[in-house]
Amino acid sequence: MTRILPLLLLILTALAAAQTVEQEQQPIPAEPEIAEASAEEVLDIPPGDISPLAGVDLTAPGDITVMDHPDDSGDRLIVSFSPGSEAEYADLFAAYIIYRRPAGGSDEEWTNVGVMPVGEGTQFVDGYDPDFPVNIGESYEYRVSALYLDETEVMGEPVIAQEVASGQWFHQGKVRVLVACLIFLGLIFYFFSRARMGATMYLRPIAGIEAIDEAIGRATEMGKPILYVPGLSDISDVATIASLTILGRVARKVAEYQTSLIVPNRDPIVYTVAEEAVKQAYLEAGRPDSYDPNSVFFLTQSQFAFVAGVNGIMMREKPATNFYLGMFWAESLILAETGSLSGAIQIAGTDAVTQLPFFITTCDYTLIGEELYAASAYLSREPMQMGSIKGLDSCKAILMVFITAGALMSIMDLLAGTQTLSWLKNIVTTQIVD
Amino acid sequence: MKENIWSRMLNLDRRWIFLFIGVVCIVPFFFPFGLPVLPTAHVISIFDYVENLGPENAIFVSFDFDPGTDPENMPMAVAVTRHAFSRHIPVFFTANAPLAQGMLESGLAYITNPALEGYFHVVSWQEWAQYRDQGITERDQLEAAWEADGNVLPANSSGWVFEGRDFAKLGYLPYFSLVILGMTSSIASQYPEDMNGNPLVEMPMLQEHKSLRDVDLAATFSGTAACTWWITYGREKIGLPVAFGVTAVSATDYTIFIQSGQLIGQMGGLRGAAEYEVLLQNAGYFDKPDRAFIGMDVQNAAHLLILFFIVLGNIAYFAGGFHKKGALLKGRR
Amino acid sequence: MYETIGIWTAAIFTLAVYSFLYKENPLYRLGEHLVVGISTGYFIVVTYEQVLKPRLIDPIANDGEYILFIPALLGLLYITRFFPKIAWLSRYPMAFIMGTSMGVGFPLSMKASVLRQLEATILPLYSAGMPWQIVVGNVVLVLGTLAALIYFFFSKPHKGPFFGTGSKIGIWVIMIGFGATFGFTVMGRISLLIGRIQFLLNDWLGVIK
Amino acid sequence: MKRTVPLMIVLVGGVLMIIQYFIPHRISQDIFDNYTIWVPIIGAFALALGVGSLTRLHGHKVRNKAPNWPYSLAVLLPIYLMPIFAFFVPVSFGGGMDEPGFYHFAFMHIQVPIQSTMFSILAFYIASAAFRAFRAKSVLATILLLTAVIVMMGQVPIGELLGSWFPKLGLWIIDFPNNAAKRAIGLGVGFGILATQLKIIFGVERNWLGGAGE
C-alpha cells in the first residue's frame, strides 16, 4: 500500500499538470494594474491654439465585441474593439472612453464607465468600478470613443453586447490550488484512517522530548517545582494548541511523580483550557486529590508584566525545570536568560522563528518550529495525531521530489539545452486571480 | 567549584552590563562620527518604485505596529510618507490594530508638525471645501487656486498636503486581513468614513481609486507577522504590489518573499529606514536625513560593545572550564 | 503647555521604567499597571468608534439592517464565559470565528505559503551572465532547502547517507538562518533604546538635535 | 448542545469557506461579503472577555485588599475612565478646541512612552545575555554565533571599514542560506498550520473547546 501511494500521487500530479497546461491556453484578459485616469483628468489637458486635427476626417474605434468575463460572479464583461485612426495620429491620441447603457436605453442613459489612457490596449474589463456595477444577466449597449489631446472626441457606433454577464461555478484559475488542497486532504485522511485501523507508525526521537521525562525526574529528586509556560498567545494559535497537548502529558507525569507544577498564563481563555487539561491529567493519573488548584493561574495580560511576574517566580521558587512551549515574542530572551541563571534545565519550543535563536543559545533543548507540533503527537501517541504527522511527511516528500527534479532539470537544461525547467515550474505556478 | 577570575567575571552583577550599554548608547549622540550608510538593493527597489509614481497613482501606507516597535517602524513609515507627499502621490493611511491607529496619528503629527523643518502643511478636508464645490479637485489646479487666494506656504515647509486629495486617514478596523480582502473590491465599503468622520466617498482620491485594484503600492510597516496579510490577501488575489518595512528581528524571515517575487522590497530595522532617508537626501527631497540616520552612529558603538561581550563571555566560559559538564552552577547540566 | 506637561509626564514614566533595571520599585509597578489599563480603555474607545458605531449601530438605526442583530447576539454570547453555568455558550461565537477563519485561511495559505514557495525554489541554478556569488547562492538555496526539509522529516530515522547526512546539513543551514536573525535582532533591540534616548535627550532635555 | 453544536458550527463554517474560495458565483460572493461584515462585529464583543477578566481579577484584589491592591486601581480606573473622557470630555479642561483631552494625553504621553520603554529594556537584556548566556557550547551553537557576528557587523557602517566585501557577505548569507532555512521552516510550519486547521474543522483537535464547563 505504501508503495502504491507515491505512484498515485504522481498520477494525480501529472493529471493536474495536464489539466492546467490546457487551461493556460485560454485567453485570460490582462487585468489593468495601473489606476485608470478619470475622464476629467484627461480632458484637463490644455488644447493647443490651433488644432492639427482640424478638418481631418478621423475614424472612430469600432468592431466592439463583448464577452462574459470568465471565472467571475457575473459582475464583469470584457469589451474589445478595434482601433480607428489613432495609430496615424499617435502623438495626439490621449485615451479611449468607454460608454455603456442598458440595451435600447435613451441617449441620456449613456454612462462613462471607464477611460483607457494611451498604451493600455484595446480591451477593457467593465465592472471593476464599484460605482458602475455590471448586473448579472442584463443586456447592455456599448460605444467607444477616441479622445485626442485637443479634446476632439471621435464617437464610435453603439453596439449591443453579444453576451450578458454570468457567474461561474468553478474558478478555473484555481485548479492548481484545488489539486494541492485535495492531495493534502487525501494524504492526511489516508493516514488518519490507517492510524485508526491500528497501523504502527514510526516517529523519530526528538531530543527535547526525550529529555522531558528525565527533567521531571530530576525535579522530583531535587524536590523542586516544574515551571511550564504555555506561550503568550491565544487559543487560536497552533503553537498554543500544541503546547496544551504537551502540558496534558507533562502534567500526567508530574502527577505520577508527585512533583509540584507551576503554570502561569497570559490569556484568560488559554488559562481556563490549561486548568482543565491539568485537572484532567491528574484524574487520568489516578491522583485527583493531589491536584493543587493554585498551580494553574492567570497572571496578567500585559506582555512585560507577565515576564516580570514569571521572572519573580523563577527567582523565588527556583524551579528545577523550565518549559517554554508555545508562542513567544520579544520576552523569550528575558525568560531564558533569567532561567539559565537560576540553574534550571530549560526545554523550549516555538514556531516563532525570530525567537528561536535565543532559545537555542540559552536553553538546553529547543524544539524548532514543526518539531513542536510533532512533539505533541509524539507525546500523546494518539493515532490521529501520529497519522497527521505521517501525512505531513508525505507532503514534504512531494515537495522534495519537485525541488530535486528542479535542480536536476536545471543542470540538464544547461548541458543539453532543453527547456524542461520551465515546464516543471509551470506545473506548480499559480496565477494571481481573484 | 573553585572561585577564580573567570567565574567572578561571569557572575558579575548584570547591572554593570546594563550601565555599560546605557553609556555606550548615549555618548555617540554628543560626539557623532556620521559614518556613511550605503543603501542596499532591497531598499533601493522600494525607493525607485515610489519614485516612478505621481499624482495619478495612489499608495497605501499601513501603520501596522504598536508603540513597542515605534523607534524602528516609525522612521520608515515617515520616510515613505514624506517621499509620497513630496511627489504628490495620494496616500491612504490604514492601521491593523487599535494601538496602531494611535501610531498613525502620532506619525502624521510628526510629519505635519509646523515646528519642524521640512514639515508638510496640512489643509484639512473642511478648509478647502469651497474649491471642491467649484469643482477644483485636480492637484496642481487646487494648489494654484489655494495659493492664489493668499495662502502662503511657510518657509520651513516642504509643501501643502490636502486632505482627501493627497491623503486619507482610513484608520483601524478589526480583522484587518478581511478588510484588505474587502478593499480589493471597494475601499469605501470597508471604510464608509475616515478616522475623523469625514465622508470618504466624496474625497477625490477615493473617487479616482475606488478599490485596491486602482492602487499601485501597499507599504506595510509592521513589528509582527501581520505584514504578510498584505501578501496573502492583497498581492495573491489581485496582484497588488507590496513593500515591507519590518523590524530588524523579523527582517530575515521575509527575504524569501523578495526572492519569490511577492515583494518589491523591504526595509529592515533602523538601518533600512536610514537607507531610505539617505536616498531621499541624495534625490534632493530633503537637506538632511532624519532620526534613523542619526541613530546609526549609536548602532556602531553598541554593536562593538555587544560583540566584545560575546567574545569575552565565551573566552571566560572556556578558559574557566565551564564547558565541562556541571561546572558552571551546582546541579546544572 | 499641553505639550510641555505631556513631555514631562512621558519622561518621568520613561525613567520610571528604566529604574526597574536597577531594582523593582513602586513607580515602575504603577507604570506597568497603567499600561494595561490605558491600552484596554483605548481598545474600548477605538472598537466603539471604528466598529460598533459605523458597522452595527448606524446600519441598524439608520438603514434598518436588522439582520446585524444576529452577529451582535452571537458576539454577546462571549460574555457567558463569566457565568460558569452557561459558559459553554461562549463556544458558539468562538466556533464561528475559528471555523470560518480557518476555512478562509486554508486555500490561501496553501497558495501563499506552500505553492508560491515551492515555485520560488524551482529556479535555474545558472543562466547567462550570472555572477558566481549568485550561482553558488542558488545552489545553496536549493540544496539547503532540501536538506532542511529532510531535518523536519519525522517518520524516518536520521541515519544513512540520505537522511543522516541530509538532516545534518539541514540543521547547519537552519542554524545559519537563526544566526542571521540573531545578528539583525541586536540592531533591532538597540534601535528601541535609541528611540527612547532620542526622546529623553532631544524632546525632553533638548541637549541634542 | 454543549460540544456537538460548536463542532458542527466549526465544520460547516470551515468547509463552506473552503469551498467558497473556488466558486466565483454570486451566491458564493454574497456569503463571503456578509461574512466580512459579520466577523468584525462578533470580534468586537470578544474585547468584553478581556475587559471582564481584568475587572474581575483586579476588582477581586481591591475588594479583598490583597497585597499591592492600590496598583489594581491603576488598571481599573483607566479602563473605565478612558471611554468616559473620550466620549464626554474629548478636549482638555483648560484649553480650547486645539488641545486634546485626557484620553489623547493618556495614550500619547503615558501609554506610548511606557510601552516603548519596556520594549527598549530588551537592549539591556541582549547585552547581558551576550555576556552571560550566548555560548558556543556545541557545534550548532558555534555556527549560529559565527553567522550572527558576521551579519551583525555587516549591518552597521563600521563593518564596512573592514572592506566592502564584509557587508556583502552578510547580505549573501541573508539572501541564500538564510532563505533556504526560513523557507524550509516556513513550509514545515505552513503544513503544520494547514493540518491543524483541518483537524479543528473536522473536530479531531478539540483543545480549544476546553475550559467552558463540562
Side-chain angles (χ1 to χ4, degrees):
Chain A
M1 189 60 207
T2 35
R3 286 194 195 92
I4 307 174
L5 194 77
L7 203 76
L8 254 170
L9 283 175
L10 266 177
I11 297 171
L12 251 173
T13 333
L15 274 175
Q19 156 82 36
T20 41
V21 169
E22 238 173 68
Q23 178 236 318
E24 210 78 72
Q25 288 154 358
Q26 288 182 3
I28 300 284
E31 299 188 351
E33 285 217 343
I34 301 294
E36 294 144 18
S38 70
E40 299 82 44
E41 214 170 286
V42 177
L43 284 168
D44 282 335
I45 296 161
D49 289 340
I50 305 154
S51 171
L53 289 174
V56 180
D57 198 14
L58 292 165
T59 331
D63 289 340
I64 301 175
T65 46
V66 181
M67 283 187 304
D68 178 37
H69 191 291
D71 302 328
D72 69 347
S73 63
D75 55 0
R76 270 170 263 166
L77 287 166
I78 302 169
V79 182
S80 352
F81 46 89
S82 61
S85 29
E86 302 87 56
E88 293 168 49
Y89 302 96
D91 296 347
L92 300 166
F93 174 62
Y96 292 112
I97 301 179
I98 290 90
Y99 295 92
R100 182 181 76 196
R101 70 175 178 193
S106 64
D107 274 355
E108 286 80 58
E109 284 181 83
W110 281 117
T111 323
N112 169 0
V113 290
V115 176
M116 289 174 66
V118 58
E120 285 195 3
T122 56
Q123 197 177 57
F124 174 76
V125 180
D126 189 14
Y128 280 143
D129 191 329
D131 290 345
F132 308 111
V134 167
N135 291 327
I136 192 163
E138 196 172 328
S139 180
Y140 290 108
E141 208 171 336
Y142 282 90
R143 71 195 300 183
V144 178
S145 76
L147 183 72
Y148 291 85
L149 288 177
D150 65 348
E151 293 188 12
T152 313
E153 190 177 2
V154 190
M155 200 57 91
E157 284 305 303
V159 170
I160 292 185
Q162 293 88 340
E163 284 185 16
V164 294
S166 69
Q168 279 75 39
W169 287 100
F170 179 69
H171 197 306
Q172 300 194 43
K174 294 177 177 172
V175 173
R176 286 181 180 83
V177 181
L178 181 67
V179 171
C181 285
L182 288 180
I183 293 178
F184 186 81
L185 269 165
L187 281 171
I188 299 279
F189 278 97
Y190 168 73
F191 282 103
F192 272 0
S193 66
R194 275 188 39 120
R196 227 189 255 146
M197 286 186 297
T200 48
M201 289 182 175
Y202 172 84
L203 275 192
R204 78 163 161 88
I206 300 168
I209 291 305
E210 305 273 279
I212 287 184
D213 278 3
E214 186 199 328
I216 297 174
R218 181 171 171 267
T220 317
E221 272 169 37
M222 295 169 67
K224 283 181 174 177
I226 288 166
L227 174 75
Y228 190 105
V229 185
L232 274 78
S233 189
D234 59 23
I235 190 72
S236 62
D237 205 312
V238 177
T240 311
I241 292 176
S243 175
L244 289 170
T245 310
I246 301 175
L247 172 63
R249 309 318 289 184
V250 169
R252 199 169 158 174
K253 279 269 154 51
V254 168
E256 281 164 11
Y257 285 26
Q258 298 276 14
T259 315
S260 62
L261 181 68
I262 307 172
V263 187
N265 286 279
R266 185 205 178 194
D267 183 275
I269 294 188
V270 173
Y271 154 61
T272 52
V273 179
E275 188 181 33
E276 199 174 86
V278 172
K279 224 186 268 176
Q280 181 67 24
Y282 272 79
L283 201 70
E284 278 170 21
R287 303 179 189 273
D289 35 310
S290 15
Y291 168 71
D292 174 10
N294 293 324
S295 62
V296 187
F297 52 93
F298 173 76
L299 197 57
T300 168
Q301 262 185 324
S302 160
Q303 184 187 8
F304 285 91
F306 180 84
V307 184
V310 175
N311 277 356
I313 295 168
M314 284 197 258
M315 291 327 239
R316 281 193 308 274
E317 313 274 338
K318 297 261 183 245
T321 307
N322 299 336
F323 290 99
Y324 314 115
L325 300 172
M327 183 67 195
F328 292 87
W329 286 285
E331 67 285 344
S332 66
L333 173 70
I334 307 183
L335 284 177
E337 202 238 10
T338 314
S340 91
L341 285 180
S342 74
I345 290 191
Q346 304 204 86
I347 300 178
T350 182
D351 56 1
V353 180
T354 46
Q355 305 309 328
L356 279 164
F358 304 106
F359 280 144
I360 291 169
T361 39
T362 44
C363 293
D364 298 272
Y365 298 97
T366 308
L367 304 173
I368 300 167
E370 211 191 343
E371 282 185 319
L372 174 67
Y373 313 151
S376 78
Y378 190 84
L379 274 179
S380 70
R381 292 276 155 192
E382 231 176 81
M384 301 287 261
Q385 304 278 11
M386 304 273 279
S388 126
I389 295 292
K390 274 277 187 195
L392 291 182
D393 268 6
S394 45
C395 290
K396 273 174 264 171
I398 298 177
L399 294 194
M400 279 151 66
V401 168
F402 269 102
I403 296 173
T404 317
L408 294 178
M409 285 176 177
S410 166
I411 295 170
M412 192 170 87
D413 286 358
L414 205 61
L415 299 178
T418 48
Q419 293 292 318
T420 49
L421 186 71
S422 51
W423 171 82
L424 182 75
K425 194 162 181 150
N426 180 38
I427 296 178
V428 293
T429 305
T430 48
Q431 297 156 340
I432 289 174
V433 285
D434 61 315
Chain B
M1 179 63 217
K2 252 194 6 255
E3 275 277 311
N4 61 20
I5 175 163
W6 301 117
S7 70
R8 269 211 303 278
M9 198 165 118
L10 281 182
N11 287 325
L12 177 78
D13 190 330
R14 66 178 172 194
R15 284 178 286 197
W16 287 108
I17 298 169
F18 292 165
L19 186 65
F20 273 123
I21 195 87
V23 170
V24 161
C25 286
I26 290 175
V27 170
F29 278 111
F30 295 97
F31 309 99
F33 18 93
L35 285 177
V37 173
L38 298 180
T40 52
H42 296 332
V43 179
I44 294 175
S45 54
I46 303 179
F47 182 86
D48 287 350
Y49 189 91
V50 177
E51 193 68 9
N52 282 320
L53 301 178
E56 71 282 6
N57 304 98
I59 66 171
F60 264 69
V61 169
S62 197
F63 285 67
D64 298 343
F65 58 95
D66 69 10
T69 57
D70 167 278
E72 286 195 273
N73 289 123
M74 188 60 90
M76 309 167 176
V78 165
V80 173
T81 305
R82 281 160 55 115
H83 192 192
F85 278 178
S86 303
R87 300 195 54 77
H88 301 321
I89 306 167
V91 187
F92 292 93
F93 292 106
T94 48
N96 78 342
L99 290 178
Q101 175 162 319
M103 302 324 294
L104 158 56
E105 291 192 85
S106 124
L108 270 183
Y110 177 75
I111 297 168
T112 60
N113 181 357
L116 297 173
E117 188 68 32
Y119 82 104
F120 286 88
H121 199 102
V122 174
V123 182
S124 75
W125 176 243
Q126 284 79 20
E127 281 176 89
W128 62 283
Q130 58 170 111
Y131 304 95
R132 201 155 59 231
D133 297 341
Q134 293 163 24
I136 304 174
T137 56
E138 199 263 333
R139 182 64 180 71
D140 292 338
Q141 285 182 355
L142 176 59
E143 184 165 327
W146 174 256
E147 289 190 339
D149 284 353
N151 293 298
V152 181
L153 190 67
N156 63 338
S157 172
S158 301
W160 304 103
V161 275
F162 296 90
E163 183 173 20
R165 169 73 264 172
D166 290 329
F167 71 95
K169 295 194 281 181
L170 304 183
Y172 157 77
L173 282 184
Y175 292 91
F176 196 69
S177 51
L178 291 178
V179 176
I180 298 172
L181 215 47
M183 286 195 295
T184 57
S185 45
S186 163
I187 296 171
S189 74
Q190 299 297 313
Y191 289 95
E193 47 188 46
D194 76 356
M195 273 159 58
N196 303 335
N198 296 320
L200 280 170
V201 275
E202 290 174 23
M203 295 191 173
M205 61 186 281
L206 252 294
Q207 288 167 355
E208 287 161 27
H209 310 279
K210 290 171 183 164
S211 72
L212 281 180
R213 285 173 205 282
D214 305 330
V215 168
D216 302 277
L217 174 71
T220 159
F221 301 94
S222 164
T224 64
C227 49
T228 56
W229 293 344
W230 286 96
I231 288 191
T232 314
Y233 299 97
R235 148 90 201 176
E236 286 302 313
K237 191 170 156 72
I238 56 163
L240 175 74
V242 180
F244 277 5
V246 293
T247 53
V249 182
S250 46
T252 52
D253 295 355
Y254 301 130
T255 42
I256 51 170
F257 293 120
I258 300 178
Q259 193 261 339
S260 65
Q262 289 163 286
L263 204 56
I264 290 179
Q266 167 177 294
M267 284 176 255
L270 199 68
R271 183 187 168 109
E275 288 177 25
Y276 209 94
E277 287 175 4
V278 168
L279 286 167
L280 280 177
Q281 185 195 17
N282 293 349
Y285 287 108
F286 301 97
D287 299 337
K288 55 180 182 16
D290 209 4
R291 286 186 160 196
F293 180 81
I294 303 168
M296 286 312 285
D297 257 355
V298 186
Q299 293 284 5
N300 282 321
H303 275 66
L304 281 180
L305 182 70
I306 302 255
L307 181 66
F308 173 73
F309 278 153
I310 294 181
V311 172
L312 191 69
N314 274 290
I315 291 176
Y317 182 70
F318 287 101
F322 301 110
H323 55 294
K324 291 171 198 139
K325 207 177 171 186
L328 184 59
L329 284 159
K330 198 165 169 279
R332 184 175 162 78
R333 295 157 49 89
Chain C
M1 189 60 192
Y2 174 85
E3 276 301 311
T4 317
I5 299 176
I7 287 177
W8 274 84
T9 315
I12 289 168
F13 276 112
T14 303
L15 294 176
V17 175
Y18 281 141
S19 68
F20 172 74
L21 290 171
Y22 182 74
K23 202 167 173 259
E24 201 187 352
N25 59 70
L27 201 54
Y28 167 79
R29 285 204 154 195
L30 175 69
E32 181 189 291
H33 284 82
L34 275 177
V35 168
V36 180
I38 293 176
S39 60
T40 312
Y42 186 80
F43 278 14
I44 297 176
V45 176
V46 175
T47 307
Y48 176 79
E49 283 187 341
Q50 295 284 73
V51 190
L52 293 180
K53 185 177 170 291
R55 302 192 145 209
L56 182 68
I57 299 170
D58 285 354
I60 290 181
N62 305 340
D63 311 328
E65 289 182 36
Y66 298 112
I67 189 142
L68 293 180
F69 275 121
I70 301 176
L73 284 176
L74 204 51
L76 278 173
L77 289 182
Y78 269 122
I79 298 166
T80 61
R81 195 96 186 177
F82 298 113
F83 308 98
K85 279 252 167 66
I86 49 165
W88 54 273
L89 276 170
S90 67
R91 287 175 187 150
Y92 285 33
M94 266 173 86
F96 181 83
I97 298 273
M98 280 253 208
T100 48
S101 61
M102 290 183 171
V104 170
F106 188 81
L108 287 171
S109 332
M110 181 58 89
K111 188 177 165 192
S113 47
V114 176
L115 290 177
R116 273 273 180 264
Q117 300 308 319
L118 173 61
E119 178 195 331
T121 317
I122 298 176
L123 68 156
L125 300 177
Y126 174 83
S127 57
M130 215 183 249
W132 65 270
Q133 304 95 307
I134 307 279
V135 180
V136 176
N138 283 343
V139 174
V140 168
L141 180 66
V142 171
L143 294 185
T145 311
L146 212 52
L149 276 174
I150 294 173
Y151 176 80
F152 288 115
F153 217 78
F154 295 101
S155 50
K156 285 273 182 293
H158 282 177
K159 291 190 186 98
F162 185 73
F163 282 99
T165 324
S167 67
K168 194 160 234 165
I169 298 173
I171 189 70
W172 286 10
V173 171
I174 292 171
M175 286 302 147
I176 294 177
F178 287 151
T181 303
F182 190 123
F184 259 75
T185 304
V186 172
M187 186 172 74
R189 300 308 185 219
I190 301 291
S191 308
L192 303 175
L193 177 56
I194 291 173
R196 291 324 290 163
I197 293 177
Q198 278 179 333
F199 166 75
L200 287 176
L201 296 184
N202 183 351
D203 299 356
W204 182 45
L205 297 175
V207 291
I208 57 159
K209 255 198 262 178
Chain D
M1 257 325 248
K2 294 180 178 175
R3 277 177 177 269
T4 323
V5 176
L7 287 174
M8 286 303 291
I9 296 176
V10 168
L11 179 69
V12 173
V15 173
L16 195 71
M17 295 322 276
I18 293 179
I19 297 175
Q20 183 276 333
Y21 174 80
F22 297 101
I23 303 177
H25 200 273
R26 172 107 291 163
I27 298 170
S28 146
Q29 284 308 313
D30 285 346
I31 290 176
F32 186 78
D33 291 345
N34 274 310
Y35 164 73
T36 57
I37 295 170
W38 282 28
V39 163
I41 298 177
I42 300 176
F45 287 94
L47 180 62
L49 274 186
V51 176
S53 314
L54 283 173
T55 309
R56 206 162 57 160
L57 180 79
H58 291 283
H60 191 73
K61 281 191 181 172
V62 173
R63 260 200 313 281
N64 297 342
K65 299 271 184 288
N68 294 322
W69 65 271
Y71 293 113
S72 294
L73 287 180
V75 176
L76 286 178
L77 288 180
I79 292 184
Y80 295 98
L81 284 182
M82 288 287 279
I84 292 174
F85 276 102
F87 297 132
F88 301 111
V89 200
V91 289
S92 72
F93 302 108
M97 289 300 283
D98 304 342
E99 295 214 333
F102 171 81
Y103 163 72
H104 180 266
F105 185 90
F107 180 76
M108 290 310 277
H109 299 294
I110 301 180
Q111 162 82 19
V112 171
I114 294 181
Q115 211 181 334
S116 316
T117 312
M118 284 198 165
F119 246 80
S120 75
I121 281 190
L122 286 164
F124 296 94
Y125 276 90
I126 209 167
S128 159
F131 186 55
R132 305 189 307 168
F134 298 156
R135 302 272 182 259
K137 58 186 171 196
S138 64
V139 182
L140 295 180
T142 312
I143 297 176
L144 195 159
L145 277 179
L146 280 179
T147 319
V149 167
I150 295 172
V151 171
M152 194 176 115
M153 296 317 287
Q155 275 297 302
V156 281
I158 211 162
E160 277 157 25
L161 297 181
L162 274 174
S164 67
W165 58 272
F166 191 74
K168 279 191 191 132
L169 176 64
L171 287 178
W172 185 88
I173 290 177
I174 289 162
D175 277 342
F176 297 105
N178 167 61
N179 270 0
K182 299 296 158 65
R183 181 158 289 150
I185 297 172
L187 283 169
V189 170
F191 274 142
I193 290 175
L194 287 174
T196 310
Q197 290 179 335
L198 271 192
K199 284 192 276 186
I200 289 179
I201 291 174
F202 289 99
V204 177
E205 181 70 75
R206 300 173 179 198
N207 253 341
W208 60 275
L209 281 173
E214 81 283 12

